[in-house]
Amino acid sequence: GFNATSYTLEMDDDDTTAGYAALDALTETQIDTVLKIAMRNGSRIYIPGRCALNSVPKLQEGQINRITVAFNGNGRHTRYSA
């Protein structure tokens, strides 16, 4: 057995970017997708699953408003060395 990998990240609350629009569309349709993580050393990690965009911003005085995206894995992640 194995546990599916999940991943959560925060990003700037800017609904004018292409990335925001793509994440919003993936959240609405709930189709399977793959999160690609490019590591600093050149290796790559791929996580299959579905994403959920929480578009309610986190507010913190003196900071940029942030939103959260959760990638819920539905299989094993794959890692390729550099």
Side-chain angles (χ1 to χ4, degrees):
F2 71 95
N3 292 328
T5 305
S6 294
Y7 194 77
T8 303
L9 59 93
E10 287 188 0
M11 58 187 257
D12 294 347
D13 180 24
D14 184 357
D15 61 357
T16 63
T17 64
Y20 184 99
L23 289 169
D24 189 43
L26 287 170
T27 299
E28 290 299 319
T29 59
Q30 283 298 293
I31 59 173
D32 290 338
T33 189
V34 176
L35 170 65
K36 176 184 175 182
I37 303 171
M39 305 297 285
R40 189 176 302 195
N41 67 358
S43 65
R44 296 169 318 281
I45 300 172
Y46 297 93
I47 302 174
R50 296 181 179 184
C51 73
L53 172 67
N54 181 351
S55 60
V56 177
K58 293 182 179 182
L59 307 175
Q60 187 174 357
E61 187 174 341
Q63 300 295 320
I64 296 172
N65 294 343
R66 312 281 288 165
I67 55 174
T68 304
V69 182
F71 290 89
N72 301 305
N74 58 11
R76 289 187 169 149
H77 73 280
T78 303
R79 183 174 190 144
Y80 294 102
S81 298

